[in-house]
Amino acid sequence: MAKQALLQRELKREKLAAKFAKKYTELKAIANDAKKSDEERDAARLGLQKLPRNSNPTRQRNRCEITGRPRGTFAHFGLARAKVREMAFAGEIPGVTKASW
């Protein structure tokens, strides 16, 4: 199990990203729009820099729903590789079977 502080940090990042999502997308669109003037694009970039660092969605980490493990997670299942293996062998994941040939 991951440390609770790390899990709480991830929750904080999710909340901040959700809170600033609209503003982030608006500023990002302006900054990447070639039709806008350089001044407008620079102002949008400065606005992006002024947002809290953890409000950027790329700072979020995929973690296992059960163990909280940050590495080796399958995005399709939301589980770490070891848990996917355990649950697949136990028949707890529908449609997943052990390969045999």
Side-chain angles (χ1 to χ4, degrees):
M1 189 70 186
K3 288 184 178 181
Q4 287 300 310
L6 299 179
L7 296 177
Q8 293 302 318
R9 186 185 304 161
E10 287 297 323
L11 289 174
K12 181 180 177 183
R13 286 178 179 157
E14 287 178 22
K15 289 177 187 173
L16 271 174
K19 181 179 177 182
F20 289 99
K22 185 178 178 185
K23 189 171 187 178
Y24 181 83
T25 54
E26 289 171 358
L27 290 172
K28 195 76 169 167
I30 293 170
N32 291 334
D33 189 4
K35 296 177 183 174
K36 300 277 185 186
S37 68
D38 288 339
E39 291 81 20
E40 288 176 313
R41 293 174 70 190
D42 288 341
R45 287 189 191 107
L46 286 174
L48 281 170
Q49 288 178 1
K50 290 185 181 190
L51 291 177
R53 178 175 285 179
N54 284 332
S55 68
N56 192 333
T58 59
R59 295 200 36 111
Q60 294 174 355
R61 181 79 186 206
N62 291 336
R63 287 186 174 268
C64 177
E65 292 293 324
I66 298 172
T67 62
R69 180 180 166 86
R71 295 181 181 215
T73 57
F74 284 72
H76 184 73
F77 302 112
L79 300 171
R81 57 185 170 74
K83 284 295 174 186
V84 169
R85 187 172 189 270
E86 284 177 18
M87 293 176 78
F89 286 160
E92 297 171 1
I93 302 176
V96 178
T97 58
K98 186 176 185 303
S100 60
W101 58 90

